[in-house]
Amino acid sequence: MTTGTFRYADPATINRSSTPFVKSWSKVDVDYSSFSRVSVSKPVHDLRSALESSPSDFGVDVSGFALYNHPAQETSFTDERAIWSGYYAGVEALLREKLPGIKRVEIFDHTIRRNNGSAARRPVQQVHVDQTPAAAATRVRRHVSPPEEAEKLLKGRYQIINVWRPISHPATDFPLAFIDWRSTSPPDLVPIDLLYPKRSEPEDDGDDRGKEVAPAEETYPKTEGYEVKGETYGVIPNEGHKFYYVKDMKPEEVVLIKCFDSWGEGLEEPWGRGKKGVAGWTPHTAFVDPATPEGTPGRESIEVRCLVFYEDEE
């Protein structure tokens, strides 16, 4: 176990307007938001130790996350095409192996984060959930064709799963922490618009992978040149939140993080058909582990976001 200081959304500074750029927002290309954050110190439990004592207490449907040993052939993650053609296939194979009943997987996005001064994307210190129910449905309609097939799949069970892995060395620096879904409640979640840089033709093909560029610091508070293309959940403090992490997580290991499930407990039409006891979301964040040795290499990681569709119920 260790202790972490977690940066939550400050509820006093959240704007719940439906008007773009008035409603609270975060940027996808830098760790910056229109609302303030509050820091809360919390204990962080080591998932490996917890699994040794109670393996059945954790899982994508139980706690909202799962840890697996699953080495990848790709190790450097510097070639975008190799990631698309090779690594994606391994991610889909992993999902099909570990999550029974899958009929279709659509991988729609990945992000590589490196904790160094030249990286386009760095670790994010904000407790959040990657997609709201509305954003999840939008993703289905954006990435599944024809439209009739998307509407059909929206009527069944589907999830968004984030497959997270360290690159090249253990993720001792800025490890990822995730909150046990069972320790959360719906009032903890606040819809936040996600801003993407506007792109011009022919670059604007609807796919941002491999096009990340770190913005200049003086542009962080500005919205010019950005558009709303997603919605996430910010998370506000809750004394009951129980955090886990994987100490010194290795590149051979992966964590499946559930961002959305149309069967998640409490969901109602049009977003899903909630089933009691089924995890619906997993708040997560990078954090600074005070036990990190001096001189530890900066964290490098890849996260792959997947739409996962299941066979129809009998």
Side-chain angles (χ1 to χ4, degrees):
M1 182 185 293
T2 188
T3 300
T5 299
F6 294 97
R7 300 175 68 191
Y8 285 94
D10 179 357
T13 63
I14 293 292
N15 191 317
R16 298 175 184 267
S17 170
S18 60
T19 303
F21 306 113
V22 176
K23 176 182 174 182
S24 291
W25 52 260
S26 289
K27 288 187 172 182
V28 73
D29 57 346
V30 66
D31 188 6
Y32 188 89
S33 55
S34 65
F35 51 90
S36 299
R37 302 176 192 178
V38 292
S39 296
V40 179
S41 181
K42 302 281 288 184
V44 192
H45 303 269
D46 182 14
L47 181 57
R48 281 203 202 89
S49 298
L51 286 169
E52 287 176 2
S53 59
S54 302
S56 62
D57 281 352
F58 300 91
V60 169
D61 280 350
V62 179
S63 56
F65 51 83
L67 173 68
Y68 298 107
N69 190 75
H70 193 267
Q73 292 186 343
E74 181 69 25
T75 57
S76 64
F77 296 94
T78 56
D79 184 335
E80 286 289 318
R81 292 297 169 185
I83 295 171
W84 293 16
S85 61
Y87 186 62
Y88 279 14
V91 167
E92 179 170 348
L94 169 68
L95 291 170
R96 291 183 178 276
E97 175 188 343
K98 302 300 183 182
L99 304 179
I102 290 176
K103 69 175 177 181
R104 179 170 177 172
V105 175
E106 291 287 341
I107 297 176
F108 63 86
D109 185 26
H110 73 263
T111 301
I112 294 173
R113 302 189 189 275
R114 304 183 193 272
N115 189 25
N116 62 55
S118 61
R121 299 283 184 87
R122 303 179 192 178
V124 174
Q125 291 189 79
Q126 179 192 334
V127 185
H128 67 285
V129 177
D130 289 356
Q131 275 89 17
T132 63
T138 297
R139 282 290 180 185
V140 174
R141 295 186 172 106
R142 183 180 300 167
H143 300 291
V144 174
S145 59
E148 311 86 72
E149 179 64 13
E151 296 306 316
K152 180 180 178 181
L153 290 172
L154 283 167
K155 294 176 181 177
R157 187 187 188 186
Y158 71 99
Q159 302 167 331
I160 294 182
I161 303 290
N162 180 334
V163 181
W164 196 95
R165 174 193 300 276
I167 296 174
S168 77
H169 54 265
T172 304
D173 171 69
F174 276 102
L176 191 72
F178 13 89
I179 299 176
D180 190 320
W181 168 79
R182 293 165 293 189
S183 69
T184 69
S185 63
D188 301 342
L189 309 178
V190 182
I192 303 293
D193 277 346
L194 191 59
L195 306 189
Y196 284 75
K198 288 182 179 178
R199 304 192 189 280
S200 56
E201 296 288 351
E203 191 182 29
D204 187 16
D205 58 1
D207 193 333
D208 289 283
R209 290 171 291 187
K211 301 172 185 173
E212 298 93 344
V213 177
E217 188 171 351
E218 61 269 18
T219 68
Y220 289 3
K222 300 177 181 179
T223 57
E224 291 85 1
Y226 285 83
E227 60 184 330
V228 177
K229 288 182 65 178
E231 186 181 56
T232 67
Y233 276 134
V235 182
I236 63 175
N238 178 332
E239 288 187 2
H241 286 166
K242 190 170 184 178
F243 282 87
Y244 288 86
Y245 82 129
V246 182
K247 180 175 173 57
D248 301 326
M249 185 173 170
K250 304 170 186 176
E252 295 79 25
E253 297 175 306
V254 292
V255 170
L256 306 187
I257 304 168
K258 183 187 285 187
C259 302
F260 172 80
D261 191 334
S262 63
W263 278 15
E265 181 176 316
L267 269 187
E268 298 178 351
E269 298 288 354
W271 308 123
R273 292 178 292 126
K275 295 185 180 292
K276 187 170 180 57
V278 175
W281 55 77
T282 310
H284 55 282
T285 179
F287 77 105
V288 176
D289 182 355
T292 303
E294 189 173 345
T296 295
R299 190 248 272 182
E300 300 182 3
S301 60
I302 180 169
E303 57 210 62
V304 178
R305 297 177 186 87
C306 314
L307 285 163
V308 180
F309 301 96
Y310 287 83
E311 298 289 351
D312 296 334
E313 292 182 281
E314 296 294 335

